[in-house]
Amino acid sequence: MHFQQLTYFVAVAEAKHFTRAAEEVHVSQPSLSQQIKALENELGAELFSRARGNIALTDAGEALLPLARRILADADTARHEVQELVQLRRGRIRLGATPSICTGLLPDMLRAFHDLHPGVQLLIEEGGSHDLVRGLARGALDLAFLVLPLPAASPALTTVELLQEDLVVLSSPARPAPGHEGSVRIADLADEPMVMFRHGYDLRELTVAACRAEGFEPSFTVEGGEMDAVLGFVRAGLGIAVVPRMVAVRAGRDLRTTPLASPGLRRTIALAHRSDVAPPRAARELQRVLLAMGATGPGAAGGPNTAAPPAASSTAGGSGPSGG
């Protein structure tokens, strides 16, 4: 049984005339008759009575007609659903991101994509880099924002560098400004109580490693928080925090932002997907929009509107920060 046969059958049932039905479906009358006969042979029953030139449905034809209409309607719906997906009127993207990226980078980028494709559903998974890499590996995510280098023992992923982002120091205006002459050296952090993220944040690993490179262990007044909690602790005057510039931009005027003195600290953010599976069409379009925005996004290394040029690479693993 073919869709074409059902289409011809419904046309004859509605027109009650083979010639007129053939004209409506744009096929010759002999071809239409042959297809109807083939359908009857397959079903083992006549679908039309043809007495004296009058066309009427048999009992078998009456039983088939509503089913045929439903099958053709479902096929038409399926065709439209696929066409809408291909044309990005609908669809779904499962996107992973670390907490600091969700706070600082993601809102403006997703708003730009949503304005272009409002029918595409965005499902966001927030987690550390290890969790996001596992989500990509098992097919639970289409794309993920990751901080390079990737965690050790990562599966084969294709990564495209999005931007390099400066880190800055946040503090409460109620406390003395950290550092000297409008900037903070890493060595200055030895004298500052710090609010520190939980283990698994790349920001924690970057900050601690930088302090140890200067010969000291940072002093934590509070540690173990997520991004929102850390910002709240800084507002309360419990200590300073080292955060991405884009997070600082969104943190509000009730927090003081001080840049780190040259060479400072920065991190590289990339988009990743599995190397062995092409992302869905909607995810590829999101990647295109994000890369275009990453080249001019706020908070990137070198100033408010600059970023390193994107670079693509495939990797089976690496070592380095694991989240945040």
Side-chain angles (χ1 to χ4, degrees):
M1 186 183 301
H2 304 289
F3 287 119
Q4 185 182 61
Q5 294 173 335
L6 294 178
T7 300
Y8 294 169
F9 164 70
V10 171
V12 174
E14 293 176 349
K16 294 182 172 57
H17 197 281
F18 275 73
T19 301
R20 287 197 296 271
E23 292 173 351
E24 290 176 5
V25 295
H26 307 291
V27 69
S28 68
Q29 191 269 330
S31 295
L32 181 141
S33 296
Q34 289 176 353
Q35 290 297 321
I36 294 295
K37 187 63 177 176
L39 180 61
E40 290 177 328
N41 290 339
E42 182 176 352
L43 294 175
E46 291 190 349
L47 300 174
F48 297 100
S49 63
R50 303 167 176 84
R52 299 178 182 177
N54 294 321
I55 304 300
L57 287 168
T58 63
D59 289 344
E62 291 283 3
L64 178 61
L65 183 59
L67 298 175
R69 284 172 170 159
R70 187 184 312 157
I71 290 170
L72 293 174
D74 287 345
D76 188 62
T77 298
R79 183 166 51 252
H80 283 292
E81 289 283 340
V82 172
Q83 287 175 348
E84 287 183 340
L85 179 60
V86 169
Q87 297 174 22
L88 295 174
R89 291 198 296 269
R90 298 184 61 181
R92 181 191 69 174
I93 303 171
R94 300 165 303 171
L95 177 65
T98 60
S100 61
I101 293 174
C102 284
T103 301
L105 182 66
L106 215 53
D108 289 340
M109 287 189 160
L110 293 190
R111 182 183 63 191
F113 179 81
H114 179 73
D115 289 345
L116 292 173
H117 307 291
V120 176
Q121 182 184 19
L122 297 166
L123 303 178
I124 308 302
E125 177 73 23
E126 187 175 352
S129 290
H130 280 300
D131 293 334
L132 299 179
V133 166
R134 284 193 291 267
L136 288 169
R138 68 174 186 269
L141 296 173
D142 301 312
L143 294 171
F145 284 93
L146 299 174
V147 177
L148 298 182
L150 294 179
S154 299
L157 300 178
T158 295
T159 59
V160 182
E161 186 176 317
L162 187 64
L163 58 85
Q164 291 184 342
E165 183 180 22
D166 285 332
L167 303 185
V168 298
V169 175
L170 281 185
S171 59
S172 169
R175 294 177 54 89
H180 307 279
E181 298 181 355
S183 65
V184 180
R185 298 173 303 158
I186 298 298
D188 295 332
L189 300 181
D191 301 321
E192 295 287 346
M194 300 184 68
V195 176
M196 185 48 67
F197 301 96
R198 63 172 173 81
H199 288 281
Y201 263 61
D202 74 287
L203 297 171
R204 180 189 182 106
E205 309 302 332
L206 281 171
T207 304
V208 171
C211 292
R212 288 174 178 170
E214 290 291 325
F216 69 93
E217 287 290 327
S219 173
F220 304 148
T221 53
V222 182
E223 63 175 316
E226 301 285 347
M227 179 60 69
D228 288 343
V230 166
L231 296 181
F233 297 148
V234 175
R235 287 189 181 93
L238 292 172
I240 66 168
V242 177
V243 302
R245 184 184 296 275
M246 281 180 280
V247 171
V249 169
R250 290 183 170 273
R253 296 183 178 180
D254 57 340
L255 288 175
R256 178 197 295 117
T257 299
T258 307
L260 284 164
S262 181
L265 290 176
R266 63 181 55 172
R267 63 179 187 170
T268 301
I269 297 172
L271 274 173
H273 64 83
R274 284 176 55 178
S275 299
D276 60 337
V277 178
R281 169 69 190 282
R284 296 199 303 272
E285 175 64 11
L286 173 62
Q287 185 178 48
R288 185 193 67 78
V289 171
L290 295 182
L291 290 174
M293 291 190 68
T296 57
N305 291 299
T306 60
S313 65
S314 295
T315 177
S319 61
S322 58

